Amino acid sequence: MVGDEKKVGLMGGTFNPIHTGHLLLAEMAYEQFQLDKVLFMPARKPYHKTVRTMVSDQERIEMIQLAIQGNANFELSLIEFQREGNTYTIDTLKELNIKYPNTQFYFIMGADSLYQFSQWKEPEEILQRAILLAASRDDIASSALNSQIEYLIEHFGIGDIRLLKSPNMEISSHNIRNRVLEGKSIRYLLPDVVREYIETKGLYQER
């Protein structure tokens, strides 16, 4: 990078709740791409999904704070949470580029998102404003992902998309919510402080 330009990872999602898979993916990105920090950006109203919740917005934020409190390289950002209406990645990047002009952003995404990327709002503009890091899981062949990356770059004529190597962890917020509802253990699926928070407040115990 030129001069003192910063390298910042962006980790978006509903985080309902945040879990070990989120944290490990952020840590892998930080390590593999020598990032200065990773921002965790909870969305209030993502355009592509409904936030199914028996928890408040503030509780989602507090769970993130608890999960990342021991890692100086992780930071909470409410940039998407404070925006009215639907949350779009391009709007976030435009705002971040103005707020942090001397920063290269690395947008962390699941490998499956690469196959829907063309339907995102202003995908060309996203590729101009950030490097995409696509999580390469064990069950998705790297050759297939590389083909999709080549297609996107050729299709839009721009872009820097890289594979982010990550363990294949079958953990999802949906599964965690269901396990709580069914009275099953969620130990080790998320940090103990988050598990204790969920149990103390009795979260996710009804649909």
Side-chain angles (χ1 to χ4, degrees):
M1 309 303 291
V2 179
D4 58 353
E5 187 173 39
K6 298 293 185 181
K7 300 167 65 176
V8 175
L10 303 177
M11 188 84 179
T14 53
F15 302 113
N16 188 29
I18 189 169
H19 55 67
T20 304
H22 295 132
L23 298 167
L24 185 57
L25 190 60
E27 183 72 6
M28 294 296 98
Y30 176 83
E31 178 183 81
Q32 290 175 38
F33 296 93
Q34 295 83 51
L35 305 180
D36 291 292
K37 63 181 175 181
V38 177
L39 299 182
F40 283 76
M41 306 184 302
R44 171 171 286 173
K45 189 179 179 184
Y47 79 94
H48 63 289
K49 67 188 298 186
T50 300
V51 180
R52 300 185 183 279
T53 181
M54 298 305 297
V55 305
S56 68
D57 291 337
Q58 184 59 34
E59 284 167 335
R60 283 197 290 135
I61 290 173
E62 289 176 359
M63 285 189 282
I64 296 171
Q65 290 173 320
L66 288 170
I68 68 175
Q69 65 185 358
N71 191 331
N73 306 317
F74 292 171
E75 184 178 315
L76 172 67
S77 170
L78 298 180
I79 188 171
E80 293 194 337
F81 200 83
Q82 294 167 340
R83 187 182 304 129
E84 295 297 327
N86 288 336
T87 299
Y88 294 100
T89 298
I90 185 56
D91 297 333
T92 300
L93 287 172
K94 287 178 179 178
E95 191 172 342
L96 287 171
N97 287 151
I98 294 172
K99 190 173 182 179
Y100 305 104
N102 199 34
T103 302
Q104 174 64 66
F105 292 104
Y106 292 70
F107 187 81
I108 303 166
M109 63 197 301
D112 51 350
S113 294
L114 274 186
Y115 296 93
Q116 285 85 45
F117 183 73
S118 296
Q119 281 72 55
W120 288 23
K121 182 183 178 183
E122 300 179 38
E124 300 98 328
E125 188 80 6
I126 292 174
L127 291 171
Q128 290 176 351
R129 293 177 177 270
I131 294 171
L132 301 189
L133 302 182
S136 175
R137 305 193 326 181
D138 296 338
D139 58 346
I140 302 178
S142 294
S143 58
L145 289 178
N146 281 324
S147 295
Q148 179 65 9
I149 289 172
E150 291 173 5
Y151 163 76
L152 289 172
I153 293 175
E154 181 179 349
H155 178 73
F156 293 111
I158 191 173
D160 186 347
I161 308 174
R162 309 178 190 179
L163 293 184
L164 168 58
K165 297 178 181 178
S166 65
N168 184 14
M169 298 183 66
E170 294 300 327
I171 302 176
S172 72
S173 298
H174 175 76
N175 178 253
I176 289 172
R177 294 195 301 269
N178 280 345
R179 291 185 68 85
V180 173
L181 189 63
E182 296 166 2
K184 296 179 180 178
S185 172
I186 56 172
R187 190 182 296 271
Y188 309 123
L189 297 177
L190 29 63
D192 278 343
V193 288
V194 178
R195 175 180 57 81
E196 291 165 2
Y197 181 94
I198 290 171
E199 292 172 352
T200 299
K201 285 183 164 281
L203 305 183
Y204 306 119
Q205 292 186 5
E206 54 183 285
R207 294 191 186 279

